[in-house]
């Protein structure tokens, strides 16, 4: 199969562990059948997440050496601020240690008890911060996003009727902002169209509702717009990204994804008053507004990563590599979320293991089996990740998925082939895979530390 080769060469290598099946059986048992609890030394190809796992460039590593570790007013903060202004177009930026730090600030400032926060599908930490501040998350993504098989080009789009209905039901004064994720992680890395972003802006503005993007994977979203949306083929990724951001009042960002760093994030906005409040609150949780829990060198790496992320060859290779893995699975009949999204290939565990009921955690079981079979670490994104509602009842998400998340600039196409072959093999022996039962569950964000046993 044809692929575009890497637009980079390798300057430093990191050896990875080759393990035996016996070792892996012991390791996953010790980890309570939860891939989050595996030690990375026992993992061969690590597709747990694309978060903080990407490779930095030589230019970013060089940037670390000019870290200005002043407590206040570090020059790297101003470089970061300039990058955010130039590339995303937001006026103000408050750095945070990672994305959820920004979510915490935004939720505390904007959400009052009894408010509603619409969003195009939940994300774990985002929804939790909304709930911790007395808000209720309301899913306003298009219905198609909950169906893993439908080939829709912009499956992350907001359903304007759902958004309008919520406004009519609760009143605009109870909706501080709509959170629009570009792309939508848990829908399978699905993008939002420019047309939809414009329409959301129009509707929200009519009622004075603010628009905050979860910009975590915004460059991947821009690539899809360039590829799929009429009128954008000849525009640069940089121009598309700027236009996308022009429809938002601000954003939270996990820099650990599209900003190509191992740690870092920020809250950005145009509104001076929101900036003022964020800079008052950031000192409580993160640090001075000019470092927000980051070292000067980390801010420099993020500033440089922001510029590198809009390189056309980089982002094309990124998306195509993920798609290559997805296409190999599709060709071999393995059930995956379609179309293939930006950061990951998602196995459809409900279709992969139709004999395992959702209460027996099919995606969790599949992730454990994939590890045992091949040493590939993936992540459950199903009923375990969805957690429980305020009454303590399980959420039952329609999508029960195993995410094969591809770090940026880290693995080669041969690694993708290993992963594909492992999934295909496993699919052929799917009848022998059994479900799990839970033996330990923490009160929140249970997917991180829950433990299981085979049935
Ligand atoms: N929003 C989205 C869409 C995310 O995917 C993440 C993190 C966050 C916010 C929170 O950012 O981790 O920097 O605090 N996603 C990671 C993942 C953990 O594996 O999908 P963070």
């Amino acid at each position: 199969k044809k692929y575009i080769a890497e637009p980079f060469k390798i300057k430093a290598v990191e050896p990875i562990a080759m393990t035996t099946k016996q070792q892996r059986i012991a390791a996953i048992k010790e980890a309570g059948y939860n891939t989050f609890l595996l030690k990375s030394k026992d993992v061969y190809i690590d597709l747990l997440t694309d978060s903080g796992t990407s490779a930095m460039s030589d230019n970013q590593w060089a940037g670390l050496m000019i870290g200005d570790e002043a407590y206040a007013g570090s020059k790297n903060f101003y470089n970061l601020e300039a990058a955010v202004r130039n590339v995303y177009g937001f006026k103000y930026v408050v750095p945070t240690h990672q994305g959820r730090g920004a979510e915490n600030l935004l939720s505390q400032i904007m959400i009052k008890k009894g408010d509603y926060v619409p969003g195009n599908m939940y994300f774990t930490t985002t929804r939790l911060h909304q709930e911790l501040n007395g808000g209720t998350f309301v899913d306003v993504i298009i219905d198609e996003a909950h169906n893993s098989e439908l080939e829709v080009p912009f499956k992350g789009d907001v359903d304007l009727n759902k958004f309008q209905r919520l406004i009519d039901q609760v009143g605009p004064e109870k909706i501080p902002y709509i959170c629009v994720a570009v792309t939508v992680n848990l829908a399978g890395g699905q993008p939002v169209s420019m047309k939809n972003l414009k329409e959301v802006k129009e509707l929200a503005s009519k009622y004075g509702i603010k628009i905050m993007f979860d910009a975590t994977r915004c460059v991947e979203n821009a690539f899809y717009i360039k590829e799929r949306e009429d009128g954008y083929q000849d525009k640069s990724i940089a121009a598309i990204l700027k236009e996308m951001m022009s429809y938002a009042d601000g954003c939270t960002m996990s820099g650990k994804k599209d900003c190509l760093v191992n740690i870092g994030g920020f809250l950005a906005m145009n509104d001076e008053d929101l900036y003022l409040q964020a800079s008052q609150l950031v000192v409580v949780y993160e640090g001075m507004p000019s470092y927000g829990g980051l070292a000067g060198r980390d801010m420099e790496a993020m500033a440089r990563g922001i510029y590198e992320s809009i390189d056309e060859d980089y982002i094309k290779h990124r998306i195509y590599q993920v798609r290559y893995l997805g296409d190999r699975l599709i060709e071999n009949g393995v059930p995956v979320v379609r179309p293939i999204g930006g950061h990951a290939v998602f196995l459809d565990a409900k279709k992969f293991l139709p004999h395992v009921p959702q209460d027996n955690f099919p995606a969790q079981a599949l992730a454990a089996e994939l590890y045992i079979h091949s040493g590939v670490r993936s992540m459950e994104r199903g009923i375990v990740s969805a957690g429980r509602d305020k009454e303590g009842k399980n959420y039952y998400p329609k999508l029960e998925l195993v995410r094969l998340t591809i770090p940026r600039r880290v693995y080669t196409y041969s690694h993708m082939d290993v992963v594909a072959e492992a999934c295909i093999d496993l699919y052929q022996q799917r009848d022998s895979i059994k479900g799990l039962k839970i033996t330990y569950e923490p009160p929140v964000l249970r997917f991180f530390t829950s433990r299981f046993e085979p049935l």
Side-chain angles (χ1 to χ4, degrees), residues 425-439:
D425 263 10
L426 215 54
Y427 189 58
Q428 279 151 8
Q429 2 175 329
R430 59 191 177 277
D431 294 341
S432 65
I433 301 174
K434 297 196 176 57
L436 299 168
K437 64 171 194 262
I438 211 157
T439 59

Side-chain angles (χ1 to χ4, degrees), residues 356-376:
V356 178
Q358 200 167 15
D359 280 314
N360 295 131
F361 315 111
Q364 189 79 30
L366 183 54
E369 279 302 321
L370 179 63
Y371 170 72
I372 292 172
H373 187 75
S374 61
V376 172

Side-chain angles (χ1 to χ4, degrees), residues 40-61:
S40 85
K41 71 169 180 56
D42 296 325
V43 174
Y44 174 39
I45 299 176
D46 202 346
L47 307 187
L48 182 69
T49 178
D50 62 329
S51 182
T53 54
S54 295
M56 292 208 295
S57 66
D58 53 355
N59 178 50
Q60 285 176 291
W61 281 100

Side-chain angles (χ1 to χ4, degrees), residues 141-443:
I141 201 168
I142 55 171
D143 283 338
E144 288 90 328
H146 293 281
N147 181 327
S148 69
E149 275 168 302
L150 291 175
E151 289 273 357
V152 178
F154 292 101
K155 231 175 165 177
D157 277 359
V158 171
D159 183 328
L160 297 163
N161 292 324
K162 289 185 190 174
F163 184 23
Q164 179 73 58
R165 215 174 306 141
L166 179 70
I167 297 170
D168 295 342
Q169 274 167 7
V170 305
E173 64 289 346
K174 289 247 182 255
I175 306 175
Y177 62 93
I178 177 170
C179 172
V180 183
V182 287
T183 60
V184 184
N185 187 351
L186 298 194
Q190 306 293 342
V192 182
S193 65
M194 197 73 90
K195 176 169 175 286
N196 191 247
L197 293 177
K198 269 185 230 174
E199 290 167 344
V200 169
K201 162 90 176 162
E202 236 167 74
L203 184 54
S205 307
K206 205 167 117 189
Y207 293 97
I209 297 168
K210 292 249 188 313
I211 302 164
M212 300 302 291
F213 283 178
D214 179 339
T216 296
R217 296 181 182 86
C218 57
V219 185
E220 294 173 6
N221 200 97
F223 183 85
Y224 279 109
I225 290 175
K226 181 173 174 118
E227 186 179 65
R228 295 180 181 166
E229 193 161 350
D230 281 350
Y232 289 94
Q233 279 69 46
D234 297 327
K235 296 220 160 92
S236 67
I237 292 292
I240 294 171
L241 190 57
K242 264 274 185 63
E243 184 184 340
M244 282 168 53
M245 295 304 182
S246 74
Y247 302 120
D249 296 290
C251 74
T252 55
M253 171 66 95
S254 169
K256 301 169 73 173
K257 284 80 162 177
D258 273 1
C259 303
L260 295 166
V261 285
N262 305 120
I263 194 70
F266 58 80
L267 176 62
M269 68 288 278
N270 290 323
D271 184 73
E272 193 178 350
D273 188 53
L274 177 60
Y275 172 65
L276 214 64
Q277 291 184 65
S279 40
Q280 288 160 7
L281 200 58
V282 72
V283 293
V284 182
Y285 293 97
E286 311 270 340
M288 284 281 289
S290 62
Y291 76 86
L294 295 173
R297 56 179 173 270
D298 296 330
M299 292 190 283
E300 186 62 34
M302 188 151 63
R304 293 180 181 210
I306 287 171
Y307 290 113
E308 286 178 17
S309 73
I310 54 173
D311 178 88
E312 308 271 331
D313 295 323
Y314 152 73
I315 189 63
K316 183 170 181 189
H317 171 266
R318 157 72 177 157
I319 300 283
Y320 276 40
Q321 190 186 41
V322 175
R323 192 174 294 167
Y324 170 84
L325 173 61
D327 286 347
R328 280 213 57 188
L329 296 181
I330 291 170
E331 281 157 20
N332 287 277
V334 179
V336 297
V337 174
R338 321 263 294 253
I340 301 302
H343 65 305
V345 176
F346 290 72
L347 303 175
D348 184 337
K350 278 189 184 170
K351 296 213 169 64
F352 205 112
L353 303 176
H355 54 284
V356 178
Q358 200 167 15
D359 280 314
N360 295 131
F361 315 111
Q364 189 79 30
L366 183 54
E369 279 302 321
L370 179 63
Y371 170 72
I372 292 172
H373 187 75
S374 61
V376 172
R377 169 153 70 172
S378 58
M379 180 192 287
E380 194 264 9
R381 292 274 87 150
I383 185 167
V384 183
S385 295
R388 294 176 186 273
D389 65 17
K390 286 182 208 155
E391 274 83 55
K393 288 205 281 292
N394 277 322
Y395 287 110
Y396 283 89
K398 287 205 184 111
L399 297 176
E400 178 72 24
L401 310 173
V402 171
R403 191 180 70 175
L404 303 162
T405 339
I406 316 300
R408 297 162 186 80
R409 308 190 290 204
V410 171
Y411 291 114
T412 65
Y413 277 90
S414 332
H415 291 117
M416 296 302 111
D417 283 335
V418 172
V419 176
E421 276 146 34
C423 294
I424 294 163
D425 263 10
L426 215 54
Y427 189 58
Q428 279 151 8
Q429 2 175 329
R430 59 191 177 277
D431 294 341
S432 65
I433 301 174
K434 297 196 176 57
L436 299 168
K437 64 171 194 262
I438 211 157
T439 59
Y440 162 74
E441 177 179 343

Side-chain angles (χ1 to χ4, degrees), residues 18-34:
M18 311 295 284
T19 52
T20 65
K21 189 162 182 182
Q22 282 321 310
Q23 288 171 324
R24 293 193 295 269
I25 289 173
I28 195 76
K29 190 167 176 211
E30 199 184 315
Y33 296 83
N34 184 347

